[in-house]
Amino acid sequence: VTNDVTWEDSLMVGLEGALLGCAYNILSCRSCGSILGFILYSAPGNLAYLRGFFCFFKDNIICYLLKKQIVIEASKVNFPAVTLKE
């Protein structure tokens, strides 16, 4: 993750959907302000393995700066298809 991705200090609590009952921090783009994903702080047992990881929404990533200093559209990167239910 580059310095262009920031997270909110305040915790959010999921009231519905896949993050129901989870506490998490929102990840956003410093440049455009788009929400890119989340970091789980606390979660039920079935999502415990995601705690502390940067979880991104592929559809919300416009581009990403890699260590090689190359800008790539996220649609050109091969991400394995994973949902929260998996």
Side-chain angles (χ1 to χ4, degrees):
V1 176
T2 69
N3 292 333
D4 294 322
V5 177
T6 62
W7 61 84
E8 299 287 327
D9 288 332
S10 59
L11 287 174
M12 303 294 291
V13 176
L15 300 177
E16 59 185 27
L19 295 177
L20 175 67
C22 296
Y24 57 94
N25 299 92
I26 293 175
L27 294 170
S28 60
C29 175
R30 184 183 311 250
S31 300
C32 68
S34 295
I35 294 175
L36 301 176
F38 58 90
I39 304 171
L40 279 179
Y41 180 77
S42 67
N46 62 329
L47 297 177
Y49 68 98
L50 292 175
R51 284 188 215 139
F53 285 109
F54 285 62
C55 302
F56 290 99
F57 304 131
K58 182 178 178 182
D59 293 342
N60 294 18
I61 300 173
I62 298 166
C63 61
Y64 190 77
L65 183 62
L66 301 173
K67 288 183 181 180
K68 296 179 181 180
Q69 302 292 317
I70 299 172
V71 176
I72 302 175
E73 292 180 21
S75 61
K76 294 181 181 178
V77 178
N78 185 17
F79 293 105
V82 176
T83 65
L84 288 178
K85 293 180 181 178
E86 293 176 348

